Amino acid sequence: MITKAKWLLLAAFVICFQSSRSQTGAYADKHRPQIHFSPKKGWMNDPNGMVYTNGKYHLFYQYYPDSTVWGPMHWGHAVSTDLVHWEELPIALYPDALGTIFSGSAVIDKNNTAGFGENAMVAIYTNHNHAMEKDGFDKIENQSIAYSLDEGKTWTKYKGNPVVPNPGIRDFRDPKVSWYEPAKKWIMTLAVTDHIDFYSSSDLKNWTKESEFGKDIGAHGGVWECPDLFPLSYNGEEIWVLIVNINPGGPNGGSATQYFTGKFDGHVFTPNETDTKWIDYGPDDYAGITWSNTGDRKIFLGWMSNWMYANIVPTEKWRSANTIARALALQKTGNTYLVSSLPVKELDTLHANTYEAKNIKAKKADITAKAGKLNGPAILKLSTDELKGFNITLSNNVGEKLVIGYNKTANQYFVDRSQSGKIDFHKDFGKHIMVPRFSATKNTDITLVIDNASVELFADKGLSVLTAVFFPSSDFTDVIITSTEGFVIKSLSFEHLNSAWK
Ligand code: FRU
């Protein structure tokens, strides 16, 4: 017979156990993102081999399990059915005699062109040879392939590796492969120091160089890395997008993702313009590329960090998370095509509760007084008929704050993390961060994705995008919108989200 006292003891034990579990659980650490993928432990950088098959989005990533700083690269592996809930799986690719496993891509070989089996998942990656590097050799980066017949669980490396040997160029890496239907061949887009090489192949094993692009075009403040090439349609017209990540040389310092729009004929990429455009102006969206095998839907994901400080951000068991998955689209301003990004609609699956309001005069609008304090991730959406200067301030009870807003004089959206908590690990972390406004309309819409350690701003239907991480000493709880210019919010929604890890 259980007495009342025993029940109380049992209840106390259960409460203690639950709270201690939530304190020590793999995803409950300080600064741990709740709606973004991060590895349980160890170091992560670029997303790799993103491919969709049999209802699952596969995410591989640059991974070093033995430390929280960059080291010998493996491909980590996670899967999701909805781009929001991720399951971390065992490591997919380990370093081998040809080197460690740098960035690359994966495809589903539907027609068995490589002979590894119908629908084989084939990874195309760079082997980076650190031993040869120490000896001063140049040919340290070579492209190799591996295949999996069980959805990425186990892999066989191709005996004939490397499939694209190094011609004597130090930075020669990050192959992104896609199927080019008009000529029924594979195209490899490769980052080569300060330009892109395009290769083609009928079987993923034998590659022919087609052309080069970009030596004198676009941004060149750093090394070109992690490219991607794909078509998007605009009112039925096919426009090709070439993504080129670059480090350093980004618009807010350090790493960033530039892109070009243009034509691709299976051999040559011809850009529409030669100036530089960025997918995301913020400091913390790097090495982003898109999923393969998703049909007309193009889904992009980046590494939510920056090589300026990635190795020293104040997290303990792990370092770095990815951005929210984003749907890419084209918009036209004048004669120019711009690539817009917005969070994927699947983020709605985390919906907990929403506060909605209309026609708010945002001289000082205390959002959390109405909607409830921030207690984890949230999405703030607002629209206005007339954009004026405003600030959205996230703050905690120890006087730290992050300010996101719009400066009308400069016509820029911005993030100010100068008082956001721990910032002294890098001299530039507290610097002003901005993204120009590209839309010329009077009205606007804004979506702000807020997690424990990041904000992602999508303004004007995703034309102006900015991602920034931050590390407050205790999580931000309050959200206030202020405007000295008398900004009127036509409609506002503040959505509390559930953690994706529960
Ligand atoms: C980009 C990058 C890639 C490389 C990988 C190494 O962040 O430098 O060019 O393949 O990281 O981890």
Side-chain angles (χ1 to χ4, degrees):
M1 162 102 172
I2 299 182
T3 61
K4 199 174 163 195
K6 275 185 187 156
W7 269 119
L8 283 174
L9 209 68
L10 189 67
F13 173 76
V14 169
I15 289 165
C16 268
F17 176 69
Q18 281 185 339
S19 64
S20 74
R21 203 174 45 163
S22 66
Q23 294 294 310
T24 56
Y27 297 103
D29 326 70
K30 194 169 177 69
H31 307 307
R32 175 72 83 171
Q34 296 301 306
I35 54 171
H36 294 88
F37 176 77
S38 59
K40 287 196 188 94
K41 68 169 191 77
W43 164 272
M44 175 177 81
N45 57 293
D46 316 355
N48 295 150
M50 297 193 294
V51 62
Y52 178 74
T53 186
N54 289 337
K56 285 191 191 128
Y57 293 92
H58 290 264
L59 167 66
F60 299 90
Y61 46 89
Q62 290 289 278
Y63 187 47
Y64 184 38
D66 300 333
S67 170
T68 49
V69 294
W70 189 85
M73 283 292 115
H74 303 53
W75 271 25
H77 187 194
V79 287
S80 173
T81 53
D82 62 5
L83 295 161
V84 172
H85 298 89
W86 292 98
E87 184 192 351
E88 189 173 331
L89 299 177
I91 291 175
L93 295 174
Y94 285 82
D96 56 44
L98 292 174
T100 59
I101 317 294
F102 269 23
S103 288
S105 50
V107 295
I108 301 300
D109 188 6
K110 292 178 187 160
N111 305 323
N112 196 13
T113 61
F116 297 142
E118 204 175 298
N119 289 320
M121 186 185 280
V122 182
I124 308 97
Y125 56 89
T126 302
N127 267 129
H128 181 101
N129 194 321
H130 293 279
M132 281 174 72
E133 187 173 18
K134 278 200 194 99
D135 292 339
F137 284 95
D138 273 344
K139 300 184 178 182
I140 55 171
E141 294 190 336
N142 296 277
Q143 317 323 316
S144 294
I145 60 177
Y147 65 92
S148 169
L149 302 175
D150 58 4
E151 297 192 10
K153 286 190 200 77
T154 57
W155 290 86
T156 306
K157 288 181 179 143
Y158 173 53
K159 284 199 182 68
N161 281 340
V163 291
V164 182
N166 190 305
I169 302 171
R170 169 77 184 61
D171 294 295
F172 186 74
R173 59 177 176 265
D174 307 340
K176 179 73 161 72
V177 171
S178 54
W179 180 250
Y180 184 71
E181 182 58 26
K184 302 224 176 314
K185 62 182 184 182
W186 299 101
I187 296 292
M188 178 191 290
T189 308
L190 192 70
V192 186
T193 316
D194 57 357
H195 67 273
I196 297 299
D197 275 359
F198 294 106
Y199 288 78
S200 71
S201 170
S202 59
D203 62 2
L204 293 166
K205 295 169 175 167
N206 298 288
W207 293 90
T208 308
K209 185 163 163 182
E210 295 283 350
S211 63
E212 293 184 6
F213 167 79
K215 250 204 167 90
D216 307 309
I217 298 174
H220 282 278
V223 181
W224 282 25
E225 301 183 314
C226 300
D228 196 358
L229 175 75
F230 51 87
L232 282 177
S233 114
Y234 184 84
N235 288 345
E237 194 185 350
E238 185 183 73
I239 308 290
W240 284 78
V241 176
L242 174 64
I243 285 183
V244 178
N245 285 276
I246 168 172
N247 176 57
N252 280 293
S255 332
T257 308
Q258 64 176 319
Y259 70 91
F260 305 87
T261 63
K263 294 187 176 56
F264 183 70
D265 63 2
H267 306 282
V268 173
F269 177 81
T270 313
N272 291 337
E273 300 92 19
T274 55
D275 58 332
T276 308
K277 304 182 186 74
W278 305 95
I279 286 266
D280 182 324
Y281 265 71
D284 297 306
D285 177 3
Y286 190 56
I289 47 170
T290 61
W291 256 277
S292 74
N293 207 28
T294 53
D296 290 339
R297 193 174 177 213
K298 271 290 151 199
I299 308 166
F300 173 95
L301 184 91
W303 171 46
M304 201 155 57
S305 196
N306 190 313
W307 281 117
M308 275 199 297
Y309 43 69
N311 278 288
I312 49 172
V313 294
T315 55
E316 274 173 21
K317 275 190 237 141
W318 87 103
R319 274 214 177 86
S320 303
N322 287 326
T323 66
I324 266 326
R326 301 166 181 188
L328 300 184
L330 285 172
Q331 291 194 40
K332 206 169 180 181
T333 58
N335 287 327
T336 306
Y337 294 99
L338 294 175
V339 176
S340 65
S341 20
L342 285 172
V344 292
K345 59 180 185 319
E346 286 88 338
L347 202 52
D348 291 347
T349 56
L350 296 176
H351 172 264
N353 57 67
T354 306
Y355 164 78
E356 286 180 334
K358 292 218 175 326
N359 299 318
I360 306 168
K361 292 202 178 61
K363 220 167 165 191
K364 183 168 182 189
D366 187 337
I367 304 304
T368 44
K370 300 260 169 46
K373 298 232 182 226
L374 266 180
N375 178 22
I379 301 185
L380 173 68
K381 286 187 187 155
L382 58 85
S383 71
T384 179
D385 284 338
E386 190 179 355
L387 178 58
K388 295 187 177 172
F390 70 89
N391 286 351
I392 302 171
T393 304
L394 314 186
S395 61
N396 60 16
N397 56 9
V398 293
E400 294 165 350
K401 60 180 182 179
L402 181 88
V403 186
I404 304 111
Y406 174 67
N407 177 329
K408 198 168 171 139
T409 320
N411 197 28
Q412 290 173 349
Y413 299 96
F414 67 87
V415 168
D416 178 351
R417 51 184 181 184
S418 61
Q419 297 174 67
S420 63
K422 295 168 214 162
I423 64 164
D424 60 359
F425 53 88
H426 189 275
K427 65 174 179 27
D428 290 338
F429 192 79
K431 264 175 57 177
H432 185 80
I433 302 164
M434 65 80 207
V435 51
R437 181 164 197 246
F438 297 106
S439 170
T441 60
K442 219 171 156 195
N443 61 337
T444 191
D445 59 273
I446 281 164
T447 300
L448 190 68
V449 178
I450 306 169
D451 202 347
N452 289 347
S454 63
V455 277
E456 291 161 274
L457 171 73
F458 304 88
D460 301 305
K461 306 206 162 30
L463 269 187
S464 294
V465 179
L466 190 164
T467 302
V469 297
F470 52 81
F471 304 94
S473 44
S474 72
D475 289 344
F476 292 133
T477 48
D478 290 49
V479 182
I480 289 184
I481 305 180
T482 50
S483 168
T484 49
E485 294 172 28
F487 180 47
V488 178
I489 301 172
K490 190 174 156 196
S491 70
L492 173 129
S493 87
F494 187 83
E495 196 180 340
H496 289 279
L497 301 180
N498 294 317
S499 165
W501 300 117
K502 281 181 186 145

